[in-house]
Amino acid sequence: MRDSKEARAMGRASKREDIAEAAFQQFHARGFNATGINDITKAAGVPKGSFYNHFSSKEESALEALSRYADSLRFDMLTAPGSPPLDRLRAHFEFLSRDVLDNGFVRGCLVGNFGAEVADHSEEIRSAAKRGFDGWAERLRQLLTEAQEAGDLKDSLDAETTALFILSAWEGALIAARVDKSAAPVEAFFRTVFEVVLR
Amino acid sequence: MRDSKEARAMGRASKREDIAEAAFQQFHARGFNATGINDITKAAGVPKGSFYNHFSSKEESALEALSRYADSLRFDMLTAPGSPPLDRLRAHFEFLSRDVLDNGFVRGCLVGNFGAEVADHSEEIRSAAKRGFDGWAERLRQLLTEAQEAGDLKDSLDAETTALFILSAWEGALIAARVDKSAAPVEAFFRTVFEVVLR
């Protein structure tokens, strides 16, 4: 009896995981409004009705998608010990750039995509995207401050302003790369941020 | 007979204009996928069926929306005679920033929005957005070159790279402003572009 209850709970957790992961992938590939519940359950290989056993709404699954996406961004690279702050910053953005450069310039950043498509229309999704950007900007600010303290970065830069600017510029570079279907906007980001702004 | 034919043609042109303008406004406010033909015809005050008398598809009306949007961006400010190039650049971005700052941080840039939402899925819309970005980047490049020739901007900057970077950074700043519901990302854009990148 107990075993079958545990098996059912595990099956339920595994089905939830499949739906959550499929929702994340579908939202990232198609956007929020173009993704139907049907697309999610089909990609997860589960019956359509089962979506609502695990999520109260498409919006709720989008909030979880944002959290899954954030977990994939390797923010730990920004604080990894052993290399100078600005090298870590560059390595982090080189890691982020791989997704767009290696996949034919599609998808971009899920937070920025939801920002462009959904932020005006869902306060919950906007708040979650804001938390994502705020957390990222704060990590960047800390890294820039560390670089200033190490004498690797000019003190005249305001670390908070520059962190927010770099984050925004990255989001824009991803959109321009998708529009241009080329690496040029990402290359312009690296060249200008690292050779002009942070020089 | 001829008069009534002319009146019909004028009525037809005026209805087309109402639909095209409503489509532009709806796409800008709601995004591409969240805008239904019904939203457009309702906003235009015309019967739903009349949409297809003037446009073959929602996509076709989106292409015209991009063109209407581009016409509203006052690119002429970048080449207006009488003031130094970098002053014109700042005035142009101050003009662009008004739409987002004065309207509660919504809507953003239609080209960037379509880039984030539709570029991966419609080659026609992606191409039109690319033409929009390319034309804008070329105008920015010319202005930066002019500033370099006037001795107002360091020669070490690559004008083409910097133009593309500024355009991308602006697109990202608009998205971050909508997510943050604040002017901070736009302020970070002005401060970093004009006081660091172009200094």
Side-chain angles (χ1 to χ4, degrees):
Chain A
M1 176 74 182
R2 198 179 148 210
D3 282 356
S4 93
K5 210 170 161 185
E6 271 177 14
R8 278 203 307 277
M10 279 175 64
R12 188 183 153 84
S14 136
K15 195 177 272 187
R16 188 189 186 287
E17 168 64 26
D18 291 346
I19 295 172
E21 183 62 22
F24 164 35
Q25 298 297 339
Q26 293 291 307
F27 286 134
H28 203 188
R30 298 171 185 256
F32 183 79
N33 287 301
T35 298
I37 302 296
N38 204 26
D39 299 314
I40 297 171
T41 50
K42 208 172 151 187
V46 300
K48 181 166 183 183
S50 64
F51 180 88
Y52 292 103
N53 296 335
H54 302 279
F55 294 97
S56 64
S57 63
K58 189 168 92 167
E59 203 174 33
E60 192 194 331
S61 71
L63 295 173
E64 179 152 337
L66 278 174
S67 151
R68 283 174 182 253
Y69 180 66
D71 288 346
S72 77
L73 298 181
R74 296 287 319 272
F75 289 127
D76 60 294
M77 293 178 77
L78 293 171
T79 47
S83 58
L86 296 184
D87 289 0
R88 292 180 335 239
L89 186 68
R90 185 188 281 273
H92 175 61
F93 278 108
E94 281 171 352
F95 167 77
L96 293 180
S97 71
R98 269 181 236 146
D99 184 58
V100 70
L101 300 184
D102 295 351
N103 290 298
F105 311 104
V106 293
R107 284 204 302 255
C109 167
L110 186 67
V111 192
N113 294 350
F114 279 1
E117 190 192 358
V118 200
D120 296 354
H121 310 288
S122 160
E123 184 55 26
E124 275 205 281
I125 290 178
R126 184 190 76 79
S127 298
K130 176 172 160 53
R131 283 192 299 277
F133 277 168
D134 285 351
W136 190 20
E138 173 56 20
R139 285 180 176 92
L140 295 175
R141 187 195 66 74
Q142 285 171 8
L143 182 146
L144 296 176
T145 302
E146 198 188 327
Q148 286 176 322
E149 285 164 359
D152 294 339
L153 181 62
K154 53 190 176 248
D155 284 328
S156 61
L157 282 186
D158 181 80
E160 189 174 346
T161 300
T162 309
L164 179 52
F165 176 77
I166 290 174
L167 179 163
S168 304
W170 176 250
E171 292 297 326
L174 288 184
I175 287 176
R178 292 162 75 192
V179 166
D180 202 45
K181 283 265 180 285
S182 91
V186 169
E187 288 164 6
F189 171 88
F190 277 98
R191 202 164 156 191
T192 310
V193 166
F194 288 96
E195 295 175 28
V196 182
V197 177
L198 302 180
R199 182 50 62 87
Chain B
M1 175 77 184
R2 199 181 146 208
D3 282 355
S4 94
K5 212 171 159 183
E6 271 176 15
R8 278 203 307 276
M10 278 175 63
R12 189 182 152 84
S14 137
K15 196 178 275 189
R16 187 189 187 286
E17 168 64 25
D18 291 346
I19 294 171
E21 184 61 22
F24 163 36
Q25 298 298 339
Q26 294 290 308
F27 287 134
H28 203 187
R30 297 171 187 256
F32 183 79
N33 286 301
T35 297
I37 302 296
N38 204 27
D39 298 315
I40 296 171
T41 50
K42 207 172 151 188
V46 301
K48 182 168 183 183
S50 64
F51 180 87
Y52 291 103
N53 297 336
H54 302 279
F55 294 97
S56 64
S57 63
K58 190 168 92 168
E59 203 174 32
E60 193 194 330
S61 71
L63 295 172
E64 179 151 337
L66 278 174
S67 150
R68 281 173 183 253
Y69 180 66
D71 288 346
S72 77
L73 298 182
R74 295 288 319 272
F75 289 128
D76 60 293
M77 292 178 77
L78 294 171
T79 48
S83 57
L86 296 184
D87 288 0
R88 290 178 341 235
L89 185 68
R90 185 188 281 272
H92 176 62
F93 278 108
E94 280 170 354
F95 167 76
L96 293 180
S97 71
R98 267 179 239 148
D99 184 58
V100 69
L101 300 185
D102 295 352
N103 290 297
F105 311 104
V106 293
R107 284 204 302 258
C109 167
L110 187 67
V111 191
N113 294 351
F114 279 0
E117 190 192 357
V118 201
D120 296 353
H121 310 288
S122 161
E123 183 54 25
E124 276 204 281
I125 289 177
R126 183 190 76 79
S127 298
K130 177 173 160 51
R131 283 191 299 277
F133 277 168
D134 284 353
W136 190 21
E138 173 56 19
R139 285 181 176 92
L140 295 176
R141 187 196 66 74
Q142 286 171 8
L143 182 146
L144 295 177
T145 302
E146 198 188 326
Q148 286 176 322
E149 286 165 359
D152 294 338
L153 181 62
K154 53 190 177 246
D155 285 327
S156 60
L157 281 187
D158 180 81
E160 189 174 346
T161 301
T162 309
L164 178 53
F165 176 77
I166 290 173
L167 179 162
S168 304
W170 176 251
E171 293 296 328
L174 288 184
I175 287 176
R178 292 161 76 192
V179 166
D180 203 44
K181 282 266 180 283
S182 91
V186 169
E187 287 164 5
F189 171 89
F190 277 97
R191 202 164 156 190
T192 311
V193 166
F194 289 96
E195 294 174 27
V196 182
V197 176
L198 302 179
R199 182 48 61 91

